[in-house]
Amino acid sequence: MKGYQRAVLLIGVMLLVGGRVLAANYTLPSPTFSPCRGGANNWSAATNTCSDQISFSSGDTVTSSSPQTLTASGGFALRGNTIGSASNPITLQSSYNQIATVSPHAATTIYGSVKNESAAIVLTNVTVNGLIETRSGAVTLTTSSVSGSVTGTGTGSLTGTNIGRDLRF
């Protein structure tokens, strides 16, 4: 194999493996939170609040040493993440944009609830150890599981999804 072929092969392998290296572990509360779009100008460490969207990379995890709420005014993009733990849940809360999984919908586990004030919640391949609630948007759950209740505002759909408590659209 020629030198340039080895270099191209090495770069290709690094790119393939690199996707796994990009996953990060975050602990709340945190003075900075890189999944918050717009960076430090949009992050408030005192309240775990992002004034834009929180967009996780594939495999990112978020933990804390006590129950927390993670708020993103601009919604959440989930990509095969683990949020919270059984002993220290983290609730995801959004104000005006959807909370959704991003294709290819790798398995996401949320220890905590998922709440949205005025937009949709669209989740595929997600386990929620808590409740799901939107005050002004549809709830769409596909191949998911929710241990608590699911509450929407008139529209919603469930496909291959188990709900542990009440279901109200």
Side-chain angles (χ1 to χ4, degrees):
M1 189 180 289
K2 294 181 181 180
Y4 74 91
Q5 290 173 324
R6 280 191 202 138
V8 170
L9 179 63
L10 180 60
I11 290 170
V13 169
M14 288 172 61
L15 289 173
L16 287 173
V17 174
R20 297 202 183 269
V21 175
L22 295 177
N25 299 314
Y26 302 98
T27 302
L28 297 177
S30 175
T32 61
F33 195 70
S34 61
C36 175
R37 286 195 176 173
N41 293 334
N42 290 334
W43 176 250
S44 171
T47 58
N48 297 323
T49 300
C50 176
S51 61
D52 202 329
Q53 183 187 54
I54 291 179
S55 181
F56 291 111
S57 293
S58 179
D60 284 357
T61 62
V62 183
T63 59
S64 68
S65 59
S66 63
Q68 301 282 326
T69 297
L70 182 57
T71 303
S73 298
F76 289 85
L78 303 167
R79 293 175 173 85
N81 310 112
T82 300
I83 312 295
S85 66
S87 57
N88 293 304
I90 297 174
T91 292
L92 301 184
Q93 184 167 325
S94 180
S95 301
Y96 65 83
N97 208 345
Q98 77 176 2
I99 299 172
T101 50
V102 178
S103 184
H105 306 295
T108 293
T109 301
I110 300 168
Y111 295 94
S113 296
V114 178
K115 300 179 179 183
N116 203 329
E117 294 295 321
S118 63
I121 297 174
V122 182
L123 303 175
T124 299
N125 198 17
V126 175
T127 299
V128 177
N129 296 289
L131 61 86
I132 292 179
E133 175 182 66
T134 181
R135 294 189 181 170
S136 180
V139 177
T140 304
L141 303 174
T142 306
T143 318
S144 295
S145 175
V146 181
S147 67
S149 59
V150 174
T151 305
T153 57
T155 60
S157 69
L158 303 174
T159 305
T161 295
N162 296 312
I163 307 298
R165 304 209 50 163
D166 298 335
L167 173 63
R168 293 181 297 258
F169 288 132

